[in-house]
Amino acid sequence: MTLFQYAVVASILHDEKQKQELLSKFEQALIEAGGELQSDGTHTLCPRNANLPLFIFVLTGGTEAEAMQLIQKERMMERGTPVVLLAHPSQNSLPAAMEILAKVKQDSGKGLILQADASGVFDAAALGNIIAVSQSMRTLQASHIGVVGKPSDWLIASSQHPDIAKKAWGLTLIDIPFAELMHDIEAIRAKPERAPDVPGLRAKAEFFSEADEADMRKSAEILQALKGIVARYRLTALTLRCFDLVLQDSSTGCLALSALADEGIDAGCEGDIPSIIALHWMRTLTGMTGWMANPSRISIDKEKGTAQALIAHCTAPRSILSSYGLRSHFESGLGVAVAGIIPEGPVTLVRIGGKNLDRVWFSDASVIGSPRQEGLCRTQALLALPAARAEELLTNPLGNHLVMIRGDWIKRIEAFIRLWQS
């Protein structure tokens, strides 16, 4: 599977045979990483695929001007695309790459250098992370996220303007009136046929309590209406001012948002802007489905350097759960919510924030329990994490929701931030 293309820049002082012999040392490693040679410095070998990132292999020195011409042709800096320069330890490759990157940064561009070792091998993990980061950035620039209803009134630090999101993350936020969703729900209810149920939902649930069949029907109607909005606006994700459903419809969006996330449409609640960006960012970067949750309790043991956090919410995607039941929404007692069990193991926590959405908090963590305490949202996860990271949440918080994804993705997030902030 081709994940990226690369173009070679080489000095005219090297003849064709010399260049091919030098390039052959690195080709196999790049092919195995998903690379496709687009141009060897003399010939165009395959068409440029605009859906793939293009890396520049600095084969020799004396190639600075040629590399900048290619960067300008690709409009990398204009588009905010990171310039990835591949270098190696001979033929003045590295000093040329350093000069190119210096010029890129003088012109307010972003980029980095990845070096091969003397045997011609690139660090596979580092290259994989760079590929994922480049793909993520390109995907975010094409993303359209619906904001169905304004952010909830209590999200006083989490309701940034679409222009800010565009500048910081490249994506487009689309304001969609809540009244449009209600109109669609009512139109669905006016039809003689029922909205289709979520496949397998009841059959796989361990229990079904508090909610009833009328609540299930409403949840299915809300899901169908949201899918209609996704199709109409060609959305890649959405966030919903869900408590207006409580007030206007005596229902909730918990089950619908959970189902959308499992179908690949990242779905946040309360109209939280930073959280839906984080959910979608994590999917583009890792391929993982995330869960948006409230930190309900944080305890820190400074002597041991460890901390525990209990996070909870009613919208957990079923794909991240080992089992689940169906209950009512916690605060309102209405609708249908997912009461799931999250399996133990490593996870990554993320929070985006700041006035300009230019700050990111993240931490490795581990699920050590999944309680079902009353007085909290229905799906709960007890996490162990480093004390220093937990203390940052209390002393310099970015908002009241965290995003959790399965697995340890710290290196990949660090690679993204190096490029994003370079």
Side-chain angles (χ1 to χ4, degrees):
M1 179 181 178
T2 302
L3 301 177
F4 67 99
Q5 293 182 312
Y6 64 99
V8 174
V9 290
S11 169
I12 59 173
L13 299 178
H14 293 70
D15 63 30
E16 190 68 21
K17 183 179 178 181
Q18 286 178 308
K19 289 190 289 187
Q20 291 302 322
E21 288 178 352
L22 184 58
L23 179 60
S24 66
K25 292 179 58 177
F26 308 96
E27 281 187 299
Q28 188 57 39
L30 292 171
I31 290 171
E32 291 176 358
E36 178 181 65
L37 179 58
Q38 194 265 334
S39 168
D40 65 1
T42 305
H43 308 99
T44 298
L45 302 179
C46 65
R48 176 74 181 100
N49 185 341
N51 295 319
L52 296 175
L54 181 70
F55 298 166
I56 299 174
F57 193 171
V58 184
L59 196 63
T60 72
T63 53
E64 293 83 351
E66 183 182 351
M68 289 306 301
Q69 289 173 1
L70 180 56
I71 290 166
Q72 291 165 3
K73 179 182 177 182
E74 287 285 314
R75 299 168 59 203
M76 290 183 181
M77 288 184 284
E78 180 183 338
R79 293 171 174 167
T81 302
V83 176
V84 176
L85 302 169
L86 306 177
H88 61 92
S90 67
Q91 303 297 325
N92 284 326
S93 169
L94 180 59
M98 292 170 66
E99 184 74 11
I100 296 163
L101 185 57
K103 176 59 175 172
V104 166
K105 294 200 172 186
Q106 283 179 6
D107 293 343
S108 302
K110 302 175 181 180
L112 57 72
I113 298 168
L114 180 65
Q115 300 182 74
D117 62 23
S119 68
V121 176
F122 292 92
D123 183 318
L127 182 56
N129 285 335
I130 291 169
I131 293 167
V133 167
S134 298
Q135 291 174 327
S136 172
M137 286 183 164
R138 294 173 73 87
T139 302
L140 288 172
Q141 289 175 348
S143 294
H144 294 80
I145 297 179
V147 183
V148 184
K150 299 295 183 184
S152 295
D153 297 343
W154 50 87
L155 294 181
I156 57 176
S158 305
S159 55
Q160 288 83 353
H161 191 275
D163 290 348
I164 291 174
K166 184 71 173 180
K167 182 177 180 181
W169 292 89
L171 49 78
T172 300
L173 296 182
I174 300 174
D175 286 325
I176 301 168
F178 188 83
E180 184 171 339
L181 172 63
M182 289 304 304
H183 174 272
D184 290 355
I185 292 172
E186 291 165 3
I188 291 167
R189 290 173 181 165
K191 296 178 181 178
E193 67 272 15
R194 284 186 53 188
D197 291 330
V198 181
L201 181 67
R202 288 284 300 278
K204 296 178 182 178
E206 288 186 322
F207 57 84
F208 180 55
S209 62
E210 300 157 335
D212 58 24
E213 291 300 332
D215 295 317
M216 291 291 292
R217 184 169 60 253
K218 281 187 171 183
S219 293
E221 292 160 349
I222 293 166
L223 175 59
Q224 186 175 343
L226 287 173
K227 284 184 175 181
I229 286 175
V230 168
R232 187 180 309 140
Y233 290 93
R234 299 181 181 179
L235 302 179
T236 47
L238 64 82
T239 182
L240 170 65
R241 185 181 170 97
C242 47
F243 275 83
D244 278 13
L245 285 170
V246 173
L247 299 174
Q248 297 184 33
D249 194 52
S250 297
S251 62
T252 66
C254 305
L255 194 59
L257 297 176
S258 169
L260 283 174
D262 282 330
E263 293 180 17
I265 303 297
D266 298 302
C269 44
E270 303 176 36
D272 187 320
I273 300 299
S275 291
I276 190 54
I277 293 174
L279 283 166
H280 191 51
W281 171 40
M282 284 296 98
R283 188 185 293 274
T284 67
L285 189 63
T286 70
M288 304 296 290
T289 300
W291 174 44
M292 166 185 165
N294 289 319
S296 300
R297 184 181 72 243
I298 297 174
S299 57
I300 300 172
D301 189 328
K302 291 186 179 180
E303 291 186 1
K304 294 182 178 180
T306 60
Q308 289 188 2
L310 180 62
I311 63 175
H313 236 203
C314 291
T315 57
R318 287 174 293 145
S319 59
I320 72 169
L321 307 173
S322 57
S323 62
Y324 69 91
L326 299 173
R327 295 187 62 181
S328 64
H329 173 244
F330 157 58
E331 287 98 334
S332 66
L334 299 170
V336 184
V338 179
I341 297 296
I342 297 179
E344 295 183 1
V347 296
T348 303
L349 302 174
V350 176
R351 172 71 201 195
I352 292 169
K355 182 178 180 180
N356 296 313
L357 293 174
D358 56 357
R359 295 176 58 196
V360 179
W361 176 94
F362 57 96
S363 178
D364 60 308
S366 182
V367 177
I368 58 175
S370 190
R372 279 178 169 156
Q373 298 179 19
E374 292 300 319
L376 293 173
C377 295
R378 303 309 190 187
T379 298
Q380 303 164 22
L382 182 62
L383 308 172
L385 68 158
R389 306 306 283 164
E391 193 163 6
E392 288 177 9
L393 290 175
L394 296 175
T395 58
N396 199 17
L398 297 180
N400 76 339
H401 292 120
L402 301 178
V403 165
M404 187 195 87
I405 57 170
R406 303 289 305 176
D408 183 348
W409 298 98
I410 297 301
K411 295 294 185 184
R412 186 162 295 183
I413 292 171
E414 289 174 341
F416 186 101
I417 291 174
R418 279 199 302 274
L419 274 176
W420 183 55
Q421 296 181 339
S422 65

